[in-house]
Amino acid sequence: MTAAVKGKSAILVMAAGFIGYTGFTTIPRAAAFILAVPVLWALADSRYAAFAVMLAYKLAASRGLLPGAAVFLSENHTPLQAAALYAFMSFGAALPFLVFWNENKRVRAACLILTFLVAYVLPPISLIGIINPLMASGIIFRGWGFAGILAVLVIYALCAVSKKSAYAFLCVIALFAVLPGSQWYEPTTPDGIMTVDTSFGRLGSGSFNFTQDYERASMVFGELRRRNIAQTEVSIIVLPETIAGRLNDTGRELWRGEIQKLLPGKAVIFGAELPAGDGCKYNNAMILLHDGKMSAAYQRIPVPYSMYRGPFAQTGANLHLWNNGILALPDGRNAAVIICYEAFLTWPYITSMIQRPNMIICAANLWWCKDTSLPATHMRVVSLWALTFGIPAVFARNI
């Protein structure tokens, strides 16, 4: 490998790392450069340089996972295990970009869609395939949805075949990045919906502490009463993920009775864990409560290892890959529900957007990473997907 090739590879890797570091946590217009990462991969002159490009992007974009996982796993795990989890998720998601790179430009272009499918859509890698650059398709093709994503994939294929096309597209991306108005890509907020963020700190997934669940529910009801939400014009209130804890029959009656008294005629969407089978496993869900009736949207992909522990595990959260994540709201609209970790993935958006929802409702429990880059990254990823599909989005978070 010549010095010029090594120098070019180093520039591509550093550029990908810089985009991953800045694209999600700095000014909104910087998100346009996320679209450039697969172009940098296509411009690489060797398989390992291409892999290094994607790995640098993954490591930089998900850097908050390293300190965040250390906090989340602190009770029973070592910092080394948190670092191993961070490395595994980054290396695993970048691996298809190593396997399917080819020296022949036409073969490389032909393999491009397969690479994205394996990395972000098809299990098992898609379970850890976070921060798909295609989420930013809406920056150029706002509201085009799947057509916009396909258009960007076609452009990437052209970039893999022709360096002139690659450099031209990089110029287009730079142009979009410098357009005036730093908030131009932010999604709108749907009418009639109010979110309530909370600051309860640790809400452990899979816990059985019903005393704490009851005490926390009392604080939530008190906050709703303090805000006098019953007198507002909003019709739907959204609370964060896991806010109700493990929701058994007693918990259901508690929430049903209190919400009917506090917010008559209004609907409340709140996070809870629903016991499954013998109660050792559970479904992580967002519950819609209206007029005493409950419906649920299950989390399709819980966090691997800490929540989803495999198909044969006796404990942990269940996987619901084929659930569409749609809640039918009382006013006739449909909402795509994205729960916490799902926001970083691709499959939950695909299964929801096929249903043509009117909005995205993203609920999360981010106490474990509140001092890292992940909360800002989380919000920007959802915003970019909302932009791509041309629908509004709302967020409810516990920190």
Side-chain angles (χ1 to χ4, degrees):
M1 184 180 293
T2 66
V5 171
K6 289 182 179 179
K8 175 186 174 183
S9 298
I11 292 173
L12 294 176
V13 172
M14 287 189 293
F18 182 76
I19 291 170
Y21 192 89
T22 60
F24 299 94
T25 55
T26 57
I27 59 175
R29 65 180 68 174
F33 288 110
I34 297 169
L35 286 170
V37 175
V39 181
L40 303 180
W41 173 82
L43 286 171
D45 292 317
S46 73
R47 181 183 303 273
Y48 295 103
F51 174 68
V53 165
M54 296 308 298
L55 182 60
Y57 165 71
K58 297 284 185 182
L59 288 170
S62 62
R63 64 191 181 279
L65 184 62
L66 182 57
V71 173
F72 191 86
L73 302 174
S74 60
E75 291 186 346
N76 303 304
H77 301 76
T78 66
L80 183 60
Q81 288 171 303
L85 180 63
Y86 167 58
F88 171 73
M89 293 189 71
S90 299
F91 274 83
L95 189 61
F97 292 90
L98 169 71
V99 173
F100 295 110
W101 189 91
N102 192 284
E103 289 186 0
N104 186 301
K105 293 180 179 180
R106 295 185 182 277
V107 175
R108 192 187 316 167
C111 288
L112 196 65
I113 292 179
L114 179 61
T115 304
F116 275 91
L117 284 174
V118 172
Y120 297 113
V121 179
L122 302 176
I125 294 179
S126 67
L127 302 185
I128 58 170
I130 61 175
I131 314 180
N132 183 352
L134 288 175
M135 77 184 85
S137 300
I139 290 177
I140 294 179
F141 301 109
R142 183 167 191 158
W144 283 35
F146 292 112
I149 292 172
L150 182 59
V152 171
L153 281 172
V154 170
I155 292 172
Y156 286 157
L158 293 174
C159 292
V161 174
S162 166
K163 288 186 177 181
K164 289 183 179 180
S165 297
Y167 293 130
F169 187 54
L170 290 177
C171 291
V172 170
I173 292 170
L175 177 63
F176 273 87
V178 299
L179 285 175
S182 62
Q183 302 299 321
W184 59 272
Y185 84 94
E186 295 290 353
T188 57
T189 300
D191 295 332
I193 293 183
M194 174 182 182
T195 60
V196 178
D197 291 339
T198 60
S199 301
F200 292 129
R202 179 183 287 270
L203 299 180
S205 298
S207 62
F208 291 87
N209 195 323
F210 294 112
T211 300
Q212 287 186 4
D213 292 346
Y214 176 80
E215 293 173 349
R216 185 167 59 249
S218 298
M219 289 189 283
V220 171
F221 301 147
E223 179 66 11
L224 295 177
R225 187 179 297 108
R226 185 187 68 80
R227 295 194 183 199
N228 200 25
I229 295 176
Q231 303 304 315
T232 65
E233 295 183 358
V234 299
S235 57
I236 300 170
I237 298 90
V238 183
L239 298 169
E241 177 202 16
T242 328
I243 201 70
R246 186 64 61 94
L247 199 66
N248 58 7
D249 290 341
T250 303
R252 288 174 183 265
E253 292 306 314
L254 172 65
W255 277 81
R256 184 178 286 115
E258 289 296 323
I259 292 301
Q260 283 185 308
K261 287 190 298 184
L262 283 172
L263 304 171
K266 298 184 186 296
V268 175
I269 300 173
F270 62 94
E273 296 173 352
L274 303 179
D278 60 3
C280 293
K281 298 197 76 172
Y282 65 94
N283 299 317
N284 195 35
M286 292 297 291
I287 311 296
L288 170 64
L289 174 57
H290 181 246
D291 286 342
K293 299 177 181 179
M294 290 186 178
S295 57
Y298 295 148
Q299 185 177 31
R300 281 145 288 183
I301 305 178
V303 185
Y305 181 61
S306 64
M307 290 177 65
Y308 175 65
R309 295 165 187 165
F312 305 109
Q314 300 302 310
T315 60
N318 288 316
L319 199 68
H320 293 279
L321 279 178
W322 302 109
N323 188 290
N324 61 25
I326 298 294
L327 275 180
L329 304 182
D331 58 11
R333 292 179 293 179
N334 288 330
V337 177
I338 302 295
I339 304 176
C340 201
Y341 174 70
E342 290 184 322
F344 297 113
L345 304 176
T346 301
W347 181 254
Y349 295 99
I350 292 176
T351 52
S352 287
M353 295 308 156
I354 288 175
Q355 307 299 318
R356 298 181 179 273
N358 303 105
M359 70 186 75
I360 293 175
I361 292 178
C362 181
N365 193 9
L366 300 176
W367 59 268
W368 55 279
C369 62
K370 64 180 181 179
D371 296 323
T372 73
S373 62
L374 288 184
T377 301
H378 188 265
M379 184 170 288
R380 184 156 294 179
V381 169
V382 176
S383 298
L384 287 170
W385 281 112
L387 182 77
T388 294
F389 287 92
I391 57 177
V394 293
F395 304 84
R397 307 186 296 177
N398 173 70
I399 58 174

